[in-house]
Amino acid sequence: MISNLFLLGIRRPGPVLLALLAITAVTAAGLPRLTIDTSFNSLIPADDPAKLIHQRVMSEFGSDNKTIVYVHDPELWTPEKLRALDDLQRSLKQIDHVYRVDSLFSLRTIRGESGPDGPVEVQSTPVLDGIPDTAEEAEAARRRALDNPLYLGNFFSDQGDVTAIIVTAHEPEEPQDINPVLYAGIEEAVERHAKDFERIFQVGPPRINAELKASLYEDFKVLGPLSALVLVVAIIVFLRSSLAAVIPILTSGLSIVWTFGLLGWMGVPLNILSAMIPSLIIVIGSTEDTHIMAAYFRGLIKQGDSVDKKVARGKAIEYLARHVGLPLVLTVLTTALGFASNLLSSITLIQQFAIAATLAMITNGIVTIFAVPLVLAHLGGGEPPASFARESDPQSIGPSLPNHIIRIFRISQDHFPTGTLAVTAILCVFFLYHASKLYVTNDPLSYFPSDRPLVQETHMIHEDLAGIRVFFITVEAENDKAFLEPENVKRLASIQRFMDKQGVFDSSISLADHLAYINREFQGDFGRDAIPATRQLIAQYLLFFHRGELESYVSHDYRRANIIVRHSISDSHTLNQYIRELEDVVDQLTGPTLEAEIIGENLMVNRAAESLMVAQVKALALLLGLIFVLMSIMFTSLKGGIIAMIPSVIPIALMFGLMGLLDIPLNPGTAMVAVIAVGIAIDGTIHLLARYNELCRRTSDFVGAVHQAVGEVAAPLIVSSVALALGFGVLLMSNFTVVAQFGALAAATMLISIVANLLITPIIMARVRLVGLYQMLGIKVDREVLESAPLFAGMSNYQRRKAILISEMGEFEAGQCLVKQGEVGRCMYLILEGEAEVIRHDGDQQRSLAILKPGQIFGEVGYIRDIERTADVAATKPVTALRFDFERMQKDLKFFPHIVAKLNFNISAVLGERLADVLDQR
């Protein structure tokens, strides 16, 4: 059936071409519907229960979607600069979706004027009451601002030459992306005042979102074409065929249109990982095209020069359909499963990529099956590349790169097989040990290279002020007015003191800080950092603050309090450790009467990183399990499943160990390498095992069959693996660190898979015999012949077909001898089709002893004993016969004990009947 699908392109070229064009037109119509999602929500699991808490906290204490406009100037506190700053903050307030703007123009300071007996007057005044007219007035404002401990690190640097304008966005009721509007509006205001200050820029979610989108567009423009160029060059260099280079470009182009068009129709948005999709289609899709072209060229070689070129193309396509049809479908399936297994991740970003990549692999497989034969039938030429015949000859180890690799590997395979396996096992253990050092990160800023201006400016804000990342610690009491009680306020201060001991968070502000500040102004140094002692005193002190100054720190009914924490930790693993430690202490400090939540968008993003590891393990286990089951079914043996997994597991073990050694974190990019690499690496294994099984049907020299299978599969396998490595290497050019890391690790994994497939697999493969289910199902033999054959007596249809496959099948023309009188050979034959005559020669005379029909056996005595044949057996009609070799059956006894035991039992029965007939005649 699969072969027939391949042949549709040459049997029904018109309908197939129309169908391909129609699907392309329909999917292309979905391209305008594509959307891009670079929001932080895609980094948070959709079922995260913290989302509801986050929304409630944001609605009460203000959004944590805060943008910091950084302004640096040595002469910041001059009338001219302050006037420009005032104009800037007014412009920011006019931007759509802006909830509030906090700057030195909205800040107030509280000053206590001390007398001989203590403070005589406490005043609450703005830091700036209008624009100062003189430098002296501006300098006085600077001193007032720097004297307020609540502002240092949050709004001003220690020297006062840096200030921050904090822009807080609305939390929209409807799920819409307000970041582009915010970024554009803030950037316009910043650019308009760039000449007024020495340094000014914005950093916050809107800018990060905008740069993610811009980088994504740039990646789409660069990575796809560059991957195509690398692929073409690699194929031309290795296969020396322009046709072999054109085919992948054609199939990739159609696949890209189909994939992105379907995504548009399905409403699945693109994200930063989607930048890899064109490269993945081009690179991964080319591997099957390479195997197809290699099989096509082999088919042309088999036709020789005597066949018409058009006929030769048709025969070569039939050859490739038979030999790579089912392996191709299986490899498309396993590769698609590799990508689809990422759907187990709870992170929307990875789920969206998994859908896109799975679609890409499936569409590329469909395009390849139907379009490639169609193209080859009309443009395939009639001759293979000049060098291909030499490189495809298993007996020729010429100067090509694949043959150099085969020659080197064969030394280990033939002379040190056990040692090679032992060294491989030791390496796997070594790298798995280092894999235990893996850690996880999911911070959006870590997606960018460290030399990116956005990253450097973020560090600058951290050094001069405090980190841009914000989270809240909200504490709720059962009763109203709870946070007018000194004990509860002290609990807030205790939480902040613990964070100071942790030493990783840049700053924290709460109601406790406001009360301690005003208490210092009232009590002088005696009251420094102390919380007012009574409820009445707290209520009086709070009258000095405007409600707008407190709304981010305490609810209007004083039942809920909020601590705002800023930090600059980009490592999810580190942040999550400290947050867990903080959660434990907060629970202890708040006690049973208060309930605390630590919440923030960046915390949810970083917490989602923990699920990456779990999802990776689940996806990998699921995929390996599916591959084991598929390969066990495909080769009708659990050994087949195990052997097929080995070339996949080895690269993964080494890849994880490499990440541990090089301190590369597990992130949304690198988390997918393992499952994707498994799905791709199994490709070469399937082709290798399938070819080995075919060869074993024609020879009992299993080692020779291994060498020949490796020789035939090596060229396309190495070409496709190197092309994959180069194609994945192109991703190093990405603007995203996660994509570049994915590319580097995937490239390394592809190169390691060459060693696993061509060095390790053959060593194991030579020690087993497998039978392909597709071969069993493909046997076309008269069932009545099998049921009537005494050799197959008492065997099920499954056992008979398996017995056929572990024997050698031969075809003989009329007049050709199957057995010659006088020769010695320990084999016997079972006729499946045709007729043969048994002829005995006595001197110059000959006589016919019998006519053998389908189902009958001959040569069974020679099979048992090493004696001369007593007659010729010649085909009178074209004959298809099974050859059972004694030595081969002895080898197969350990591989297929039940089948061989049945055959031996039936041979004994046939010989017993033969002996009984002889005795009766006497």
Side-chain angles (χ1 to χ4, degrees), residues 647-851:
S648 301
V649 172
I650 292 174
I652 299 312
L654 269 58
M655 185 271 294
F656 278 135
L658 198 63
M659 290 176 65
L661 275 170
L662 300 179
D663 199 36
I664 299 174
L666 200 66
N667 56 42
T670 58
M672 297 183 296
V673 175
V675 289
I676 293 171
V678 168
I680 297 172
I682 195 68
D683 179 346
T685 310
I686 291 173
H687 285 285
L688 189 61
L689 291 176
R691 187 61 185 145
Y692 170 63
N693 280 349
E694 291 177 14
L695 293 171
C696 284
R697 293 201 62 200
R698 302 200 294 266
T699 179
S700 58
D701 180 9
F702 300 150
V703 174
V706 169
H707 289 163
Q708 185 174 347
V710 171
E712 291 182 5
V713 175
L717 190 150
I718 291 172
V719 169
S720 60
S721 296
V722 172
L724 277 168
L726 292 174
F728 282 128
V730 166
L731 297 178
L732 286 167
M733 307 292 292
S734 172
N735 288 291
F736 300 113
T737 303
V738 290
V739 174
Q741 289 172 340
F742 170 90
L745 291 170
T749 306
M750 292 303 100
L751 295 178
I752 296 170
S753 72
I754 295 177
V755 179
N757 270 315
L758 297 183
L759 175 63
I760 307 303
T761 304
I763 294 175
I764 302 170
M765 198 164 61
R767 289 162 169 74
V768 299
R769 278 276 283 115
L770 302 173
V771 172
L773 179 63
Y774 62 97
Q775 294 172 313
M776 293 176 63
L777 297 176
I779 294 175
K780 296 179 180 179
V781 180
D782 190 337
R783 184 164 183 166
E784 292 183 3
V785 171
L786 297 181
E787 291 176 346
S788 64
L791 188 61
F792 294 146
M795 298 175 71
S796 66
N797 187 48
Y798 170 83
Q799 291 174 322
R800 294 187 196 110
R801 288 177 175 270
K802 201 160 190 176
I804 291 173
L805 290 175
I806 65 176
S807 65
E808 295 177 48
M809 183 177 289
E811 295 182 351
F812 305 88
E813 300 295 330
Q816 188 175 353
C817 272
L818 283 75
V819 168
K820 280 188 173 292
Q821 183 176 331
E823 287 185 348
V824 177
R826 297 198 65 176
C827 61
M828 66 177 180
Y829 293 86
L830 168 67
I831 296 178
L832 296 176
E833 293 181 8
E835 284 185 1
E837 184 178 12
V838 181
I839 303 171
R840 180 176 176 81
H841 298 275
D842 293 315
D844 295 335
Q845 297 182 347
Q846 64 179 35
R847 57 194 175 105
S848 176
L849 301 180
I851 298 295

Side-chain angles (χ1 to χ4, degrees), residues 308-537:
D308 177 75
K309 301 218 180 283
K310 185 175 181 180
V311 175
R313 289 201 297 267
K315 295 287 185 184
I317 293 171
E318 291 178 2
Y319 177 87
L320 77 85
R322 285 197 311 273
H323 288 80
V324 302
L326 184 61
L328 184 144
V329 171
L330 285 173
T331 52
V332 168
L333 178 61
T334 54
T335 305
L337 284 173
F339 284 104
S341 62
N342 287 296
L343 288 168
L344 291 175
S345 174
S346 58
I347 298 177
T348 307
L349 175 85
I350 295 180
Q351 290 176 345
Q352 291 169 349
F353 172 78
I355 293 171
T358 304
L359 273 178
M361 296 303 104
I362 293 173
T363 56
N364 186 260
I366 294 172
V367 169
T368 299
I369 290 172
F370 291 104
V372 172
L374 181 65
V375 174
L376 291 177
H378 294 86
L379 304 175
E383 297 179 0
S387 61
F388 193 85
R390 295 194 304 272
E391 295 181 0
S392 297
D393 183 1
Q395 304 303 321
S396 171
I397 303 296
S400 70
L401 175 62
N403 285 335
H404 273 305
I405 294 174
I406 293 171
R407 184 192 301 112
I408 295 170
F409 286 173
R410 194 171 291 178
I411 295 172
S412 298
Q413 292 165 354
D414 293 343
H415 301 291
F416 314 106
T418 305
T420 302
L421 293 178
V423 170
T424 303
I426 293 171
L427 282 174
C428 287
V429 171
F430 171 79
F431 280 102
L432 283 173
Y433 166 74
H434 284 283
S436 64
K437 301 175 184 177
L438 274 175
Y439 65 95
V440 190
T441 189
N442 191 35
D443 185 80
L445 275 178
S446 69
Y447 299 171
F448 295 105
S450 58
D451 59 351
R452 185 87 171 220
L454 171 62
V455 177
Q456 293 179 341
E457 289 170 356
T458 301
H459 291 322
M460 189 179 299
I461 293 176
H462 165 59
E463 291 171 2
D464 293 336
L465 299 168
I468 67 165
R469 299 168 181 86
V470 178
F471 68 86
F472 296 162
I473 303 175
T474 63
V475 184
E476 183 174 1
E478 296 178 355
N479 304 317
D480 291 349
K481 312 297 182 181
F483 285 98
L484 292 177
E485 298 292 341
E487 288 303 316
N488 289 334
V489 178
K490 288 177 181 178
R491 287 190 172 99
L492 301 179
S494 298
I495 293 171
Q496 292 177 267
R497 281 196 297 272
F498 176 76
M499 285 191 287
D500 291 339
K501 290 180 181 178
Q502 286 182 297
V504 293
F505 303 114
D506 292 345
S507 71
S508 67
I509 301 181
S510 72
L511 178 66
D513 294 300
H514 288 75
L515 291 171
Y517 166 54
I518 195 170
N519 198 45
R520 182 196 72 176
E521 295 302 317
F522 266 96
Q523 305 294 332
D525 287 339
F526 178 77
R528 181 180 293 274
D529 299 328
I531 303 299
T534 66
R535 176 190 179 107
Q536 291 76 15
L537 198 54

Side-chain angles (χ1 to χ4, degrees), residues 15-30 254-255 257-259 261-262 265 363 366-367 370:
V16 169
L17 180 61
L18 286 175
L20 290 172
L21 292 175
I23 295 173
T24 304
V26 171
T27 52
L254 285 176
S255 302
V257 173
W258 288 21
T259 299
L262 286 171
W265 285 115
T363 56
I366 294 172
V367 169
F370 291 104

Side-chain angles (χ1 to χ4, degrees), residues 443-653:
D443 185 80
L445 275 178
S446 69
Y447 299 171
F448 295 105
S450 58
D451 59 351
R452 185 87 171 220
L454 171 62
V455 177
Q456 293 179 341
E457 289 170 356
T458 301
H459 291 322
M460 189 179 299
I461 293 176
H462 165 59
E463 291 171 2
D464 293 336
L465 299 168
I468 67 165
R469 299 168 181 86
V470 178
F471 68 86
F472 296 162
I473 303 175
T474 63
V475 184
E476 183 174 1
E478 296 178 355
N479 304 317
D480 291 349
K481 312 297 182 181
F483 285 98
L484 292 177
E485 298 292 341
E487 288 303 316
N488 289 334
V489 178
K490 288 177 181 178
R491 287 190 172 99
L492 301 179
S494 298
I495 293 171
Q496 292 177 267
R497 281 196 297 272
F498 176 76
M499 285 191 287
D500 291 339
K501 290 180 181 178
Q502 286 182 297
V504 293
F505 303 114
D506 292 345
S507 71
S508 67
I509 301 181
S510 72
L511 178 66
D513 294 300
H514 288 75
L515 291 171
Y517 166 54
I518 195 170
N519 198 45
R520 182 196 72 176
E521 295 302 317
F522 266 96
Q523 305 294 332
D525 287 339
F526 178 77
R528 181 180 293 274
D529 299 328
I531 303 299
T534 66
R535 176 190 179 107
Q536 291 76 15
L537 198 54
I538 288 176
Q540 291 176 15
Y541 283 174
L542 290 176
L543 295 175
F544 285 86
F545 295 101
H546 288 186
R547 180 58 202 164
E549 296 177 81
L550 296 176
E551 64 179 7
S552 297
Y553 305 101
V554 67
S555 62
H556 67 281
D557 57 4
Y558 290 92
R559 182 180 175 184
R560 288 170 293 278
N562 185 40
I563 304 172
I564 299 178
V565 185
R566 287 174 60 180
H567 68 94
S568 58
I569 305 172
S570 59
D571 175 6
S572 299
H573 177 70
T574 301
L575 178 60
N576 290 338
Q577 280 186 325
Y578 283 111
I579 292 297
R580 280 193 290 268
E581 184 182 45
L582 179 59
E583 286 173 336
D584 292 338
V585 172
V586 167
D587 286 341
Q588 296 173 14
L589 294 177
T590 52
T593 59
L594 299 176
E595 184 176 343
E597 295 284 354
I598 301 178
I599 199 71
E601 187 176 60
N602 74 95
L603 295 190
M604 290 190 289
V605 168
N606 282 279
R607 259 198 301 267
E610 301 293 341
S611 68
L612 280 175
M613 183 72 79
V614 176
Q616 175 80 350
V617 172
K618 286 182 180 178
L620 193 56
L622 175 63
L623 182 60
L624 289 176
L626 286 172
I627 288 176
F628 174 76
V629 171
L630 284 173
M631 295 301 101
S632 297
I633 293 172
M634 178 181 177
F635 296 109
T636 65
S637 168
L638 296 179
K639 293 178 182 177
I642 295 171
I643 293 172
M645 287 173 61
I646 289 173
S648 301
V649 172
I650 292 174
I652 299 312

Side-chain angles (χ1 to χ4, degrees), residues 77-88:
W77 294 91
T78 61
E80 296 78 11
K81 300 296 182 182
L82 293 175
R83 187 172 294 108
L85 203 61
D86 181 50
D87 183 55
L88 171 61

